[in-house]
Amino acid sequence: MIRAAVVGAAGYIGGELLRLLVNHPQVEVVNAVSRTLRGRPVDSVHPNLRGRTRLAFSSYDQLGHCDVLFLATPHRETMQRMPEYLATAGVVIDLSGDFRLRDTDVYEDYYGTPHEAPGLLGTFTQGIPEFHRERLRTADRISVPGCMATAGILSLEPLARAGLIQDDITVDARTGSSGSGAKAGSENLHAERSGALRVFAPTRHRHEAEIAQATGHTVRMTATGIEAVRGVQLLCRASLADGVDERAIRATYRSRYADEPFVRIVAARRGMHRFPDAKILSGSNFCDIGFALDRGAATVTVIAALDNLVKGGAGNAVQCMNVRFGEPEERGLEFTGLHPN
């Protein structure tokens, strides 16, 4: 059994980690750490876990050694405590933003503070199994990308690597309210969020830097909060290189993802679900990718969707754990989503 612990277990990502881990046949969850809820049953905060676990929240000083430590902790705080975390577990999987960007100047630009552990940046492997599977097999330090970054990287990197797109990429991202976390401010009250389409990052969303790092292109990203609780959908627009047509794009995606269990190319030409829709992915670890060409303008619009808490967070982290510990990659992540929901 893999002995796992979660720090930041009371939040939405922490709760999603617990949901996946307590149902994983090869995992024993030994600690669910919360700064303020020590002693309270986990299912008092995550009621979907009633009858599935008898865990109670523990404090950080109760955190003993474990095989894998998941960090669902705040940006900035994580890098300050990372040396302590690394001493606690053989494998650390970080879901904060502190070790996603390799360049300290870029980090300071997007996060507004200097990086406090620059010497550790190069020791983390990016937590996208589709691109870094071989490194993940032996990685002891893993940094899981942000939810919108994961959708953007999975959908754009194959085209960029194959030289099918050129110049700047624009990304129009929409995200559900759970992306703001369990302690979001007044702007995420139901009375404020219901029915809203609120542009909260008209420029320079942090995940823009992650997509740029992965693709090698300049990325300009806008993010909008929508009424849904779960889900991310990205519309990414790029100019096509000379001679690139629909067949080349389709062949590139199919070749790149033919053997990937959690990336699906949506290629239907008609019907309600001919493009990726985050609603049908709720609770699942899939990322769906589709595209449309504007033939007159020689541009492509790439559409990507995922559940921000699963493939955009906790599910991706568990997938990385499976790779690292030699488990079947789909173990514990078999849920297919719901339709209708």
Side-chain angles (χ1 to χ4, degrees), residues 215-275:
T215 62
H217 286 258
T218 298
V219 176
R220 307 193 186 284
M221 181 173 176
T222 295
T224 300
I226 60 175
E227 186 173 18
V229 173
R230 289 176 181 254
V232 158
Q233 183 188 63
L234 267 60
L235 274 67
C236 311
R237 297 180 176 88
S239 297
L240 294 172
D242 291 344
V244 175
D245 59 11
E246 179 178 348
R247 182 178 299 178
I249 293 173
R250 194 180 307 278
T252 297
Y253 278 133
R254 285 183 168 166
S255 173
R256 182 65 187 82
Y257 292 127
D259 299 319
E260 292 297 339
F262 293 116
V263 178
R264 306 186 297 193
I265 306 306
V266 180
R269 295 188 179 276
R270 59 180 61 87
M272 186 186 307
H273 301 292
R274 66 186 183 277
F275 294 117

Side-chain angles (χ1 to χ4, degrees), residues 58-273:
S58 58
S59 59
Y60 182 76
D61 59 15
Q62 295 175 293
L63 182 62
H65 194 273
C66 56
D67 298 317
V68 57
L69 180 65
F70 294 90
L71 301 176
T73 44
H75 313 314
R76 304 184 182 93
E77 175 188 310
T78 303
M79 61 183 170
Q80 295 170 359
R81 302 194 68 168
M82 186 55 74
E84 301 172 50
Y85 295 137
L86 294 175
T88 303
V91 176
V92 171
I93 301 179
D94 177 29
L95 289 94
S96 82
D98 284 349
F99 294 91
R100 295 170 179 166
L101 298 172
R102 294 188 293 268
D103 188 313
T104 55
D105 290 338
V106 175
Y107 179 90
E108 183 171 355
D109 186 20
Y110 278 88
Y111 285 84
T113 187
H115 202 285
E116 297 185 35
L120 293 177
L121 284 174
T123 69
F124 278 80
T125 296
Q126 189 179 44
I128 299 186
E130 291 78 7
F131 298 149
H132 304 290
R133 185 172 285 110
E134 290 308 312
R135 289 187 61 195
L136 288 168
R137 295 189 197 282
T138 57
D140 292 336
R141 302 170 184 183
I142 298 167
S143 176
V144 175
C147 56
M148 291 181 281
T150 296
I153 293 167
L154 288 172
S155 60
L156 292 168
E157 196 271 358
L159 304 185
R161 178 173 292 190
L164 302 187
I165 55 176
Q166 58 188 356
D167 304 327
D168 294 359
I169 298 169
T170 62
V171 176
D172 177 10
R174 301 89 183 265
T175 180
S177 58
S178 61
S180 300
K183 294 184 178 180
S186 58
E187 67 274 13
N188 280 298
L189 292 172
H190 177 73
E192 300 295 338
R193 190 89 184 210
S194 180
L197 292 168
R198 183 172 298 116
V199 178
F200 64 89
T203 61
R204 296 180 55 75
H205 190 281
R206 290 168 180 169
H207 295 180
E208 167 184 295
E210 296 179 58
I211 301 171
Q213 178 178 263
T215 62
H217 286 258
T218 298
V219 176
R220 307 193 186 284
M221 181 173 176
T222 295
T224 300
I226 60 175
E227 186 173 18
V229 173
R230 289 176 181 254
V232 158
Q233 183 188 63
L234 267 60
L235 274 67
C236 311
R237 297 180 176 88
S239 297
L240 294 172
D242 291 344
V244 175
D245 59 11
E246 179 178 348
R247 182 178 299 178
I249 293 173
R250 194 180 307 278
T252 297
Y253 278 133
R254 285 183 168 166
S255 173
R256 182 65 187 82
Y257 292 127
D259 299 319
E260 292 297 339
F262 293 116
V263 178
R264 306 186 297 193
I265 306 306
V266 180
R269 295 188 179 276
R270 59 180 61 87
M272 186 186 307
H273 301 292

